[in-house]
Structures are given as structure tokens and as C-alpha cells.
Amino acid sequence: MGGGCCGTLVAVHLLRQHHPAHIDMIDERIPGRGLAYSTAWDDHLLNVPAVRMSVFGSEPMHFLEWLRTHGRPDASPDCFAPRKVFGSYLQDVLNDAVRAAAGTCRFRHHYSRAARLTYDGRVARIALVDGERIQADKVVLATGNPAPFSLEPAVPGCFHSPWEPGALTGFDPDADMLLVGAGLTAVDAFLALQAQGHRGVVHCVSRRGKLPHVHTLYRTLPDSFDAAGTGGARGLLRAIRLRARAAEREGYDWRAVVDSLRPVTNDIWCGLERCEQRRILRHLKTWWDIHRHRMAPEIGARVGAAVASGRLVVHAGRLMGVEPDGSRLRVGITLRSQAPLSLSVERMINCTGSDENYRRSANPLLRSLLESGRIRVGAIGRGLETDRHGALMESDGTASGWLFTLGPPRVGGLFETTAVPEIRKQAEALASYLFSIVREPEDVPVDYFLAAGI
Ligand SMILES: Cc1cc2nc3c(=O)[nH]c(=O)nc-3n(C[C@H](O)[C@H](O)[C@H](O)COP(=O)(O)OP(=O)(O)OC[C@H]3O[C@@H](n4cnc5c(N)ncnc54)[C@H](O)[C@@H]3O)c2cc1C
């Protein structure tokens, strides 16, 4: 359920096992074109260099080689390709996998949405919004990042996210805009406004008023970060700072230290007490995010120039209220200095990114799964709880034998789980696991084959 990056990669890895199977993918969008890779704008670049974006961990040059044979012969390992190009890559990889497995697997894409999912102890039944019904032995929930936290009150000119239809088009090019948030989503929105000919001032407001850092070329550290004995949030922060200073003395960039945490981030996270995890989310995550989720150099240069020229103004503060003011919006902000700020803007666009609290999810499918106890929210209130394979935990704490997930929902137990390097690993492992537990064909009820038209 869901054919974005995660759904596509699970399908690819299932198909590549050449194990007889019937795979149904449900998504109203083209495979691979979820939130991140469906963007229409060329300026929306990947924030990870091409050499780290292969969908196959065992073939690190796969994406780079694909780029070189698909219109970018000069692509370098350090280049940052447009996200929409990565969407085409995902689609291509899936098409190849479907073709190569044609003798053993049947793959079907249903251009629709899953509305309801039930399980009778043997078979899962999925009702699609167009009335079609599908049965399956195993189901992978791959519906992506949850929608952002809703900013109240909703008045005309306020958009819940930059991806809401009309949020980034049809504006007065000289009018000022307000983006709530200053992370990569706000940067995306700023770039899209610029691409549409916006000439006014774009204001961003976030609690800390910090834009993401920029990628540079640097030497990687020989070893992963050693977090032994660092204790909780405070000790970890101290250790990272010390390591960054020492690394700089040795001629490394601080970015190399941040990257050296990547292979061990989830182990460190899982070893922390819940109260320490909460402390990190409350006090350190914003800082972590701006160091870890960096802008491509060319985007950093454009954003830097816009800040220098006053076209992009970043405020550290808190949104206090918004009300209609003629054809505009009057927005009240309390700055970190406690000084009030009043802005007159044409639009206010929520760029705070996905809301990881699934209890607030407005997605009817997730709501019904939560209400029926088929899934439960992660221990500290974010994401969904799963076992180590991605089997979703039911409300009574048992791991589902038929419903699985990967990627963004797994923030219920992991810290790093949304980027391609993590997703590809989870997708491959989940595909192998599903075949290891799937029932033998003679056990599959006859109505499965009838429903599938076999
Ligand atoms: C703006 C942005 C930029 C990013 N850039 C990078 C990057 O440069 N590098 C990197 O490594 N990572 C990046 N990421 C992170 C990462 O790649 C994504 O989060 C990843 O795409 C998650 O994949 P997904 O399949 O879970 O979600 P998505 O790709 O969003 O797919 C979810 C799919 O589920 C479908 N769906 C939802 N509900 C239903 C339903 N009821 N029935 C059927 N289908 C449904 C949707 O239509 C959608 O296609 C970025 C993320 C975002 C949001």
C-alpha cells in the first residue's frame, strides 16, 4: 500500500528474489513518485551526492551509472541530481525488475488509494477507493511521511503545506510571503517561488531561526563515531563537540564527524533511555537536523545570496497569530528576543515538515488501523512501533504476522529511517523476510487466486 520510494523498493527487492509471487502495488501516482520525487521543479535537488543514492547497497555506483547513461554523461560521484530524475530512476529500476521476473512473478499496479484494510486471521482484504477489492497474504504499509502539523486557524491564504495544490502558484510576484519553518522544506518552497518569478520578500520563521548547513567536499573519517560511555543526551552532545574539534585539528571537516555517526546512529538511539530520547528530540534535534540534512552546494549559494540581498529573511521566533487583512494576512510573531514583529504577507505556507505524531494523523487508513488496534504508536509518541523486521506491533504488543512497514513510520523505534541509504537496506531485508515467512502456495486460500484472477 503506497508506491513511493519505499513501496517501489520493496517491490523491486521482492521481484529480484525470483520467488514465485503475486505483487499488487496500490498508489494513485506513478511508482517512485511519492512526496520527495514527484516534484516538477528542476531546482529541487537531492540533498545526498549521487554516489550515495544507489538503491542497491551492494552496487553503490548504480545510480551514478544510470545517470551517466540517461542524459548526464558527465555526472560526477559528488553531484546532486534533481529529485525528479531520481523519481525516474526508481521507476526504471522497477520496470527492469518486473521485466526480469516476468516468468516467476506477476506484478500489478492499481492506480487508486487503499481506503480500508481488514484481516480475518488468514487473509488481508484491502478495499480501494474506486470500489476494487484486493486480497493478500502479506501487506506492506508504505504510505509515506505523515502530513505536517496543522497550523490554526485556517484562513484564506494559509496553506497546510507547500505541496498543497496552489500553494506555490498563482501569486502576486511582488507580494511578500511567510514560510513557517526554516529547514529543507522551506528551502524547497523558496526555490519553487523563485522559479515561478516571485520577486517579493520571503520571510521564514522558526524557533531557532537557523537554515540548514551546506554540503562541501571533505575527507571522510576512517572510523564510525565511538559513542561508548557517552551516556545520555548531554554526554553525547559533549562527545560530538569534542570529536568535531579534534577532527578539525586533524584537518577534517565537522561534516565528516556528523557523517561518521550515520552507521551507528540507530544503535546509539536504541541504547538510550526514553527520557534521554525525549530530551534529544526536545533540545537537540533542530541542531542535529541543520547539520545532518544539508543543502546541495549550488542551492546553498543561491540561498546565501538571497539572504545577503534581503530577499530571504529568517526570523527566530514563535508564530502568535494570523488574521485576514484585506487581501493579505497580518501575522504576529514573538521574536526570540521577546520583541513583537508584525508582518503583512500574501500567503503563509506551513513548511514544518511531517508531523511524526501518528495519533494526530488525518489519514483515514491509518486512523482506522490505529482504532482497530492493528498498529500502535511508538513508545515516545512518534512513528509506529515495529519489531526489528518492520512487523507492525498490534495494540496488545504482539508483532503482526501479516502487516509490515518501512521508512518514515519506523521513527517509532529508529532515529535514521527516512533517507534512501536506510530505506534500501530495510526494503531488501523486508523482502527476504517476507519470503522466509510466507505460507507455501498450497496453503493460500482458493479465493485469493480467484480474486487475483489466477
Ligand atoms: C521533500 C523531500 C526531499 C527528500 N530528499 C531526500 C534526498 O535528497 N535524499 C534522501 O536520501 N532522502 C530524501 N528524502 C527522504 C526520503 O527519500 C523520503 O522520505 C522517502 O521518499 C520516503 O518514501 P515513502 O515511500 O515512505 O514515501 P513517499 O515516497 O512519499 O510515498 C508514499 C506513497 O504512498 C501513497 N499513499 C498514501 N496513502 C495511500 C493510500 N491510502 N493508498 C495507497 N497509496 C497511498 C502516496 O500517494 C505516495 O506515493 C526526502 C524527503 C522529502 C519529503
Side-chain angles (χ1 to χ4, degrees), residues 1-7 26-27 29 33-37 46-48 53 83 112-114 142-145 163 188 363 365 408 418-421 423:
M1 297 196 305
C5 181
C6 288
I26 308 161
D27 201 317
R29 303 187 197 210
R33 305 283 181 173
L35 184 58
Y37 310 117
L46 295 170
N47 52 41
V48 178
M53 287 297 287
R83 292 211 302 268
S112 185
R113 285 180 79 76
T143 50
N145 292 285
W163 321 124
D188 262 10
N363 182 326
L365 181 68
T418 58
V420 168
I423 291 173

Side-chain angles (χ1 to χ4, degrees), residues 52 103 109 131 161 223 265 288 339 341 359 377 380-381 383 390 399 404 424 442 448:
R52 282 195 262 139
H109 183 181
S161 97
D223 301 311
T265 310
W288 173 253
L341 173 71
R359 286 199 189 94
V377 168
I380 58 168
F404 301 83
R424 70 182 176 206
E442 55 270 26
Y448 173 87

Side-chain angles (χ1 to χ4, degrees), residues 239-250:
I240 294 171
R241 280 184 169 151
L242 284 174
R243 186 70 194 98
R245 272 185 220 128
E248 276 177 345
R249 280 196 299 274
E250 294 158 25

Side-chain angles (χ1 to χ4, degrees), residues 126-452:
I126 302 130
L128 310 191
V129 289
D130 59 10
E132 193 185 349
R133 278 161 203 282
I134 298 172
Q135 298 192 23
D137 228 19
K138 307 286 176 215
V139 178
V140 177
L141 184 72
T143 50
N145 292 285
F149 180 62
S150 173
L151 298 172
E152 298 295 344
V155 289
C158 288
F159 289 85
H160 291 303
S161 97
W163 321 124
E164 198 179 321
L168 299 170
T169 51
F171 47 78
D172 169 0
D174 294 308
D176 293 353
M177 304 284 190
L178 174 65
L179 308 178
V180 182
L184 290 174
T185 305
V187 171
D188 262 10
F190 171 73
L191 294 169
L193 288 169
Q194 279 212 319
Q196 300 283 302
H198 184 254
R199 297 184 292 259
V201 174
V202 176
H203 296 268
C204 291
V205 61
S206 73
R207 276 191 308 153
R208 316 258 180 216
K210 298 278 178 204
L211 287 165
H213 283 282
V214 182
H215 275 286
T216 56
L217 283 177
Y218 52 86
R219 270 190 310 144
T220 52
L221 283 163
D223 301 311
S224 299
F225 188 85
D226 181 6
T230 51
R234 200 183 286 268
L236 199 53
L237 176 63
R238 196 180 312 118
I240 294 171
R241 280 184 169 151
L242 284 174
R243 186 70 194 98
R245 272 185 220 128
E248 276 177 345
R249 280 196 299 274
E250 294 158 25
Y252 291 96
D253 190 273
W254 60 262
R255 292 167 185 81
V257 177
V258 171
D259 291 1
S260 76
L261 273 141
R262 186 76 173 270
V264 291
T265 310
N266 283 333
D267 292 339
I268 298 174
W269 180 252
C270 294
L272 291 171
E273 305 273 343
R274 281 183 195 158
C275 62
E276 293 299 323
Q277 293 181 343
R278 286 197 188 92
R279 193 167 284 162
I280 287 178
L281 294 180
R282 203 175 313 125
H283 301 295
L284 300 182
K285 183 144 185 310
T286 318
W287 297 105
W288 173 253
D289 283 348
I290 62 170
H291 288 85
R292 153 78 181 85
H293 300 285
R294 302 187 288 266
M295 292 184 267
E298 47 271 59
I299 301 301
R302 284 179 55 185
V303 168
V307 171
S309 69
R311 291 273 307 281
L312 179 64
V313 183
V314 184
H315 307 278
R318 191 181 280 260
L319 187 70
M320 300 309 285
V322 52
E323 55 189 34
D325 181 17
S327 63
R328 300 184 136 232
L329 297 169
R330 172 68 51 189
V331 185
I333 291 169
T334 299
L335 296 175
R336 248 180 119 70
S337 62
Q338 299 305 318
L341 173 71
S342 175
L343 296 174
S344 172
V345 293
E346 180 180 317
R347 286 183 188 175
M348 181 174 96
I349 305 171
N350 183 356
C351 297
T352 54
S354 61
D355 179 6
E356 290 173 342
N357 183 344
Y358 279 65
R359 286 199 189 94
R360 293 193 288 236
S361 172
N363 182 326
L365 181 68
L366 292 173
R367 290 210 67 81
S368 80
L369 289 170
L370 278 169
E371 279 156 20
S372 62
R374 290 297 186 191
I375 58 176
R376 76 177 189 188
V377 168
I380 58 168
R382 63 199 293 252
L384 297 175
E385 197 175 330
T386 66
D387 73 0
R388 68 194 168 91
H389 302 291
L392 281 149
M393 290 291 180
E394 303 209 349
S395 56
D396 64 3
T398 51
S400 175
W402 61 277
L403 183 59
F404 301 83
T405 195
L406 74 163
R410 290 198 65 186
V411 291
L414 303 173
F415 192 80
E416 284 281 2
T417 180
T418 58
V420 168
E422 279 74 31
I423 291 173
R424 70 182 176 206
K425 211 185 290 174
Q426 291 179 17
E428 187 169 6
L430 181 55
S432 307
Y433 183 66
L434 289 178
F435 279 132
S436 76
I437 59 166
V438 83
R439 283 177 286 149
E440 289 303 315
E442 55 270 26
D443 286 330
V444 179
V446 172
D447 64 350
Y448 173 87
F449 294 103
L450 291 176

Side-chain angles (χ1 to χ4, degrees), residues 21-38:
H22 299 125
I23 302 163
D24 290 279
M25 176 185 277
I26 308 161
D27 201 317
E28 59 198 356
R29 303 187 197 210
I30 294 168
R33 305 283 181 173
L35 184 58
Y37 310 117
S38 60

